[in-house]
Amino acid sequence: MFENYVVDSGYDEMMRGADSPRDAYVRLHRTLADFSEPELHTRYRMAQSIFLRQGITFTVYHDERGTERPMPFDFIPKIIPAAEWEHIERGLVQRVKALNAFLEDVYNDQEILYEGVVPRDLIVTSEYFCPQVAHVAIPRRNHIFMSGIDLIRNETGEYHVLEDNLRNPSGMAYVYQNRYVMRKVFPEFFRDYSVRSLATYFTDLLSALQQLDPHERQNPTVVLLTPGMYNSAYFDHSFLAQQMGIELVEGRDLVVVDRVVYMKTSHGLQEVDVIYRRIDDAFLDPLEFRSDSLLGVPGLMDAYRAGNVAIANGLGNGVADDKAVYAYVPDMIRYYLGEQPILPNVPTYHLSNPEEREFVLSRLPELVVKQTDSSGGYNMLIGPQAQEMEIEHFRKRILGAPHKFVAQPTVQLSKVPTFVGGGMRGCHVDLRAFVIQGEHTTVFGGGLARVAMKDGSLIVNSSQGGGAKDTWVLVDG
Amino acid sequence: MLSRVADALYWMARNVERAENDARLIAVQLVRQLEHAEFRDDMGHSLWSPLIHINASESLFLSLYERMDDQSSLEFLTVADKNPNSILRCVSTARQNARTMLGMIPSELWELVNTYYYSVREYENETLRTETLHRLVDMVKSFSLQFWGIIDAAMSRGDAYQFVRMGTFLERAQKMARIVDVYSQGVEERQTHQQAFEYHHWSAVLQSVSAHESYVLKHGARILPERVGEYLLLDPLFPRSIRYCLEQMLDAFLTIEHGEVKSYARTLHVQLGKLCAKLQYAEIEEILQQDFHAFLANIQWECNQVGQHLATTYYLGAMDAE
Amino acid sequence: MKYHILQVNQYQYAGGATESINQVRLRPYTGEGQACLDFTLDLQPQSKCAWHKDYFGNEVATFSIHAKHSQLTVTASADVDVWAEALPTETQLSDAMSGELTSTEFRRRYAEYLAATSYTALPPEAATAETDELWRASRDALDYVRRISDFLYTEFTYHAGVTTVETKAEEFLARKSGVCQDFTHLMLALCRVHQIPARYVSGYLYCGENTALRGDAAMHAWVEVMFPTLGWVGVDPTNHVFVGSRHIRVAVGRDYRDIVPIKGVYRGGAQTLETSVRVHALETAGLQ
């Protein structure tokens, strides 16, 4: 399969050269050699049909019929040797700890802001800043029950953090489904490997949620609050609820009476202790946030304030994962933990700073410019791939509202061979790693490797044609 | 259990059952159409009109189609998106219901209903010829059997299971009353070839509800209207008889209430109990002497009442109603 | 100055309301220049209030009524002592004060009150077109505030009923007539454009015999601007005065959204609201 494979610029995670796989991939490379192209095609179709049958699809927005497509998928896994993973794990735990301390600080005394380590204006004027939760004593001071940290590898293979997702990171269900499909359709691949199992993490997830119960009951009622089946991440929600054995509820299933949250059951009201919500802050409670929200629960915020219910993830986490705040995370690590960051950031320029702005504007064709309050790969300028017109358009937008933009050098993302168009081609990947914070902080042993399947594309988001790969963390070697 | 989930379970089951009944009726009409050409209505009326009548959707039909011919009737009954009782819509609703409660039902059940939906959708663009219809009907029946197979083998006998039973049996009882009602009215209108007609007519009805074989085992190959009526309405053992269905409903209800009916559930209990008793002690001769149509209409009305009390007792659909 | 305030809000629901939950910001502030001596919040139908202090320091009551009701009456009555004095008109900023006002540290400290909100956002050209000349003519930032207040008072008309609680500063700027809320939002915008921290204040105005004053029939609104050393300075653009002991403060925030006196969510049909406000002076000595 690798006869015509090209190892060009950038770091190839599998291949050192045209015919020499890296150590962790040697065995897989050998197995793959036994497969013919038609056989791979057949297997690929089998995998797709499993996704469709299980309803593992995402809804294509802006489509009246609500078309559902199966998640694009690729069967060459991203393999992470044990030692490499151990390093990533330490870095992630450190990062999430600091981010949690930051959120606790921002919504209480704001020391880091008054000391000027992080510019106070950047935080308190952020659209995600949530005054409603200031000084609320939140259970265990745990703001980030689950986070999704996006990692990339640069030209030399070194891991960097690209983005923190501290609000409602999705994708964990896909990790399980990718593994399930891989085991079923490509069992041969696993023959020579000992891959870390994903089976035990639901226990960690559930106990982390149960520990948040403000009443510290023996067996608290935990629910997952979803916007409903039309949400693009609904599969994720239902899968997690099912695997944890908790109730999957919608806003209309809940009611607040005397500052206590209840769910409406066929036999009356039942008190709810912990809510794992997958609804955005703005829609949680029409009384205190967007009054036009039909998804939320009126009075929920007040019940939370009264200490009668735990909400995970915490409200207002968006102030810590915005693209402009990202640049300060290494400073947070130093400030709160007194440690040096284990996983580096990608260098980031703030366009609100006049010197940095001037530098960036003079080098637009080389840089990536991102709007700080956008996600999903939208509102981005990728300098080296942009037309002159697009660059000029962005220049105007930057000058109009410089504080809304940051810029980064274009990182040549690492590649992993991917089966496209009947052959193997190196495609750019990133890795979303999940961190679960309970009494202990656990890094989910694997993650969602997202791959840009369009030729040469750097955008891995599923909303823009990205696909997924299974991620193998090796138990040994 | 969340009342929204109870509602979804109940309606998922009702819709799967409804799709199956639709399919069975189509199957029987197909057979009759081939074997008994003399019963084809030469007034130009479609043989499918009783089916449309069974779902009480004539006015909807007439608002959608200019005339009742084979193609329009069949499209209406099978894949029409605008007919809430078409097979496609029933299956699609059942799928929507299932989807809102992934995790509450066995994942095999979700996969089945999901696959079911895609399989029916494949008929959307097909010309509805006899052999296509046979395939469709077989498929629907087979999915229904698998549906119950999974529920029987993989679903815990808690409240979720009981709500599925209630949905299924209420739908089945109500549909049975309607089928018998519609077909018995058909008989009164035709006087010629009385005996032969009755034989074929009632055996078709038996077939449509999968009762033919078990009826013959019980009564021999003598298809008598009163015995057929008795079998379909009052038989204690035939799993689609109205009596059997209502007894199952009552049993599901008492299981949810752990045999101990509290005040909020009293009305439902009384309603169901009376209805069961009525069928348990009824005699077919007595029913036939009186107004048969009125009897069946009353059963349907009572079933409707049970459905409504079920909704208020367990807060089903309460949120959508507001 | 001691006042007694009585505010009655009566909601009627067509076809009745259920599952109603509400938040009230009506308790007058206690702190610099003012103390709330007594406060009662009476609810009909009766309901229990839960109190908390919000991010901006306002006292907030939350209550709910689940049973069906066709009418809700919220009556707030308060005794308040106000001893704040209006800033002398001739006050000037020292160079040190002006310097501190423009420092990064000061701007960050009051960043909430410098950023545009949905109510106060103006297109940059619009804001500077209106204020450039005034800004150039001003001796210092405080003088600018005074001139802005004068500008609003003279160029804009106080006219009830042409705007709503949803009206944005930009719309008021074009229309040039509205009520105290609109004057306040536009003033916030014009101060913030020139980097002067400014916040929204809701409260009551005691007019007494002074018929020239506008805004005692309902709740009133004005602006507070922050200057080094001086602290928060109250300015009422609707009446073009520095705020003294006739103004009774209830709540502060970035704009109207943060101080909404009563808001709620319920199931049911349309609602109508009647509000009455009465401010009595219990003593009049020292009234400016």
Side-chain angles (χ1 to χ4, degrees), chain A residues 1 9 16 32 75 82 112 123 136 146 150 195 212 277 287 293 307 318 349 353 376 385 391 399 416 454:
Chain A
M1 278 317 303
S9 61
R16 216 174 254 124
L32 269 167
F75 53 76
I112 197 170
I123 304 303
V136 173
M146 193 206 280
D150 294 345
V195 177
L212 294 176
R277 53 80 179 230
L287 180 65
S293 165
Y349 307 103
N353 177 321
Q385 295 182 359
I391 291 179
L399 288 169
V416 175
K454 276 193 236 160

Side-chain angles (χ1 to χ4, degrees), chain B residues 150-169:
Chain B
I150 292 170
I151 287 172
D152 189 55
M155 203 160 169
S156 150
R157 266 41 176 174
D159 286 1
Y161 176 74
Q162 307 306 340
F163 277 107
V164 168
R165 280 175 82 200
M166 296 219 263
T168 304
F169 286 111

Side-chain angles (χ1 to χ4, degrees), chain B residues 174-217:
Chain B
Q174 210 166 0
K175 195 50 72 68
M176 179 62 87
R178 185 118 189 121
I179 290 170
V180 176
D181 192 14
V182 168
Y183 280 109
S184 61
Q185 284 178 54
V187 178
E188 287 153 22
E189 288 165 15
R190 297 161 199 270
Q191 295 305 322
T192 51
H193 313 292
Q194 186 65 24
Q195 240 188 335
F197 171 77
E198 268 194 354
Y199 182 89
H200 288 302
H201 182 79
W202 289 109
S203 60
V205 175
L206 285 172
Q207 280 163 17
S208 76
V209 294
S210 290
H212 195 258
E213 289 162 18
S214 61
Y215 173 92
V216 170
L217 277 177

Side-chain angles (χ1 to χ4, degrees), chain C residues 109-121:
Chain C
R109 180 162 293 264
Y110 296 102
E112 287 95 333
Y113 305 108
L114 285 168
T117 69
S118 64
Y119 272 110
T120 70

Side-chain angles (χ1 to χ4, degrees), chain A residues 52-55 57 65 68 229-230 234 238 242 247-250 252-253 263-267, chain B residues 1-4 95-96 99-100 102-104 110-111 114-115 121 256-257 264 314-315 319-320:
Chain A
L52 194 64
R53 194 177 74 222
Q54 295 186 325
T57 53
R65 291 206 63 175
E68 297 162 27
M229 56 178 283
Y230 296 107
Y234 181 70
S238 61
Q242 176 175 25
E247 203 84 50
L248 179 66
V249 304
E250 296 177 16
R252 59 194 172 129
D253 295 324
M263 59 181 176
K264 302 174 186 168
T265 77
S266 52
H267 284 80
Chain B
M1 157 182 323
L2 285 176
S3 17
R4 180 177 52 80
R95 175 181 181 252
Q96 302 278 63
R99 190 166 217 183
T100 60
L102 299 183
M104 298 300 300
W110 155 245
E111 285 181 30
N114 189 37
T115 315
R121 287 262 314 248
I256 288 177
E257 295 303 320
Y264 66 86
Y314 299 110
Y315 313 101
M319 291 162 293
D320 303 320

Side-chain angles (χ1 to χ4, degrees), chain A residues 110 114 116 119-121 124-125 129 131-132 134-135 255-259 264 286-288 298-299 302 305, chain C residues 19 21-23 48 50-52 55-56 62 64 66 105 107-112 115 254 263-265 267:
Chain A
Q110 302 191 343
Y114 285 116
R120 187 168 181 280
D121 47 347
V124 300
T125 65
F129 180 67
Q132 290 88 335
H135 303 297
V255 62
V256 177
V257 180
D258 289 337
R259 315 187 89 190
K264 302 174 186 168
L287 180 65
E288 302 207 19
D302 194 53
R305 190 179 287 124
Chain C
E19 291 184 41
I21 176 158
N22 306 275
Q23 268 186 349
K48 219 167 43 192
W51 287 92
H52 79 271
Y55 181 75
F56 306 99
T62 307
S64 52
H66 278 263
E105 206 206 328
R107 283 180 185 176
R108 285 186 173 168
R109 180 162 293 264
Y110 296 102
E112 287 95 333
R254 294 163 298 187
K263 63 177 172 182
V265 180
R267 286 176 181 277

